[in-house]
Amino acid sequence: MRIVRVAVVIMCLAVFDREGTAFPTAARIGQLRIVLLVDSSGAVGPHVNQFRAGVSAFLDVIPEDQEIAIISTGGQLRIRVPPTTDRERLRRAVQSFTSDGGGNAFLDTLLEADKRFLRTAPERRPVFVVVTTDSGATSGDVRIDEYNKFMRDFHQRGGRAHGIVLQGRLNVGATTDILMNLTGNTGGFYDSLVVANALADRMKVLAENVAADIF
């Protein structure tokens, strides 16, 4: 059992291989429901164009029969687009994406989005894709016990998580630690950037990793 520290201890599950052999039967479902968590906190303001380009690059790669929801995390959970295969609706939401200001409610939004949009679709493999900033600040308490409970359940359901974090030059915080833990425990793609200009290219690579689970 691997341990990661984010001021307090996160108890982790073992990291499973990417071939899916160690995942439960649910993980073998070819159709995905992807919840795309996009940071819309105040830190995103200077990088809105790069975030739009990154999410657009992701949509370009994922086959159109896969369900995608766009949920933002600025201040609180905001449903930009509920789960859908309608790419035009998704692209319109991306083009109109702006920062909501406030702090990044990443963990609260992650937990609530799983409850509302992934657990309710057992016929599809649950997938989180996270695009976030991390300057070291966190909105609200870091609910470690709830995260651990979610992590175990998400893993048992065959969930996969992928993420990219745009980090501050000096500080990183709980958001980075949790995202590294989540992607590591589910065999997902993880990357960190210090400048936003590379976001579209890295989101394309991330999307290719997501698409590899479709069969």
Side-chain angles (χ1 to χ4, degrees):
M1 184 173 289
R2 187 160 55 90
I3 295 176
V4 175
R5 298 188 179 278
V6 293
V8 288
V9 173
I10 296 179
M11 301 300 292
C12 306
L13 300 173
V15 177
F16 284 71
D17 66 76
R18 296 195 58 135
E19 297 301 319
T21 55
F23 284 112
T25 303
R28 304 301 297 171
I29 298 172
Q31 294 295 300
L32 310 180
R33 173 170 285 188
I34 302 164
V35 170
L36 182 53
L37 290 187
V38 184
D39 186 355
S40 62
S41 68
V44 172
H47 312 296
V48 165
N49 289 335
Q50 290 90 342
F51 270 61
R52 289 175 182 170
V55 177
S56 294
F58 177 83
L59 294 177
D60 287 343
V61 174
I62 302 300
E64 294 189 356
D65 61 339
Q66 303 302 308
E67 290 185 348
I68 299 175
I70 300 179
I71 311 295
S72 59
T73 68
Q76 61 184 358
L77 179 149
R78 177 180 171 189
I79 303 170
R80 304 282 181 140
V81 184
T84 182
T85 58
D86 185 343
R87 287 298 185 270
E88 288 305 313
R89 184 178 182 185
L90 290 163
R91 291 186 187 283
R92 287 196 300 270
V94 172
Q95 291 307 309
S96 63
F97 173 78
T98 58
S99 169
D100 291 316
N104 181 11
F106 165 62
L107 181 55
D108 287 349
T109 302
L110 176 79
L111 298 176
E112 184 66 20
D114 180 60
K115 184 186 302 181
R116 294 172 63 174
F117 302 114
L118 294 183
R119 288 188 194 176
T120 55
E123 73 282 1
R124 287 179 176 260
R125 184 174 187 178
V127 176
F128 272 114
V129 171
V130 179
V131 190
T132 186
T133 64
D134 185 4
S135 61
T138 302
S139 176
D141 295 331
V142 181
R143 297 151 57 190
I144 299 303
D145 289 343
E146 291 187 51
Y147 169 78
N148 285 334
K149 182 178 178 180
F150 152 77
M151 180 68 257
R152 294 185 183 95
D153 179 64
F154 187 65
H155 187 275
Q156 289 171 358
R157 285 183 278 132
R160 186 90 81 190
H162 310 266
I164 296 175
V165 57
L166 180 63
Q167 296 178 338
R169 294 183 180 276
L170 298 178
N171 299 311
V172 295
T175 297
T176 295
D177 287 333
I178 291 171
L179 186 56
M180 290 180 66
N181 179 265
L182 179 60
T183 56
N185 280 326
T186 61
F189 174 91
Y190 172 83
D191 199 2
S192 62
L193 305 173
V194 294
V195 293
N197 292 341
L199 187 56
D201 288 341
R202 300 311 293 162
M203 283 295 289
K204 181 179 179 181
V205 175
L206 185 157
E208 290 167 351
N209 279 263
V210 174
D213 278 338
I214 303 169
F215 51 88

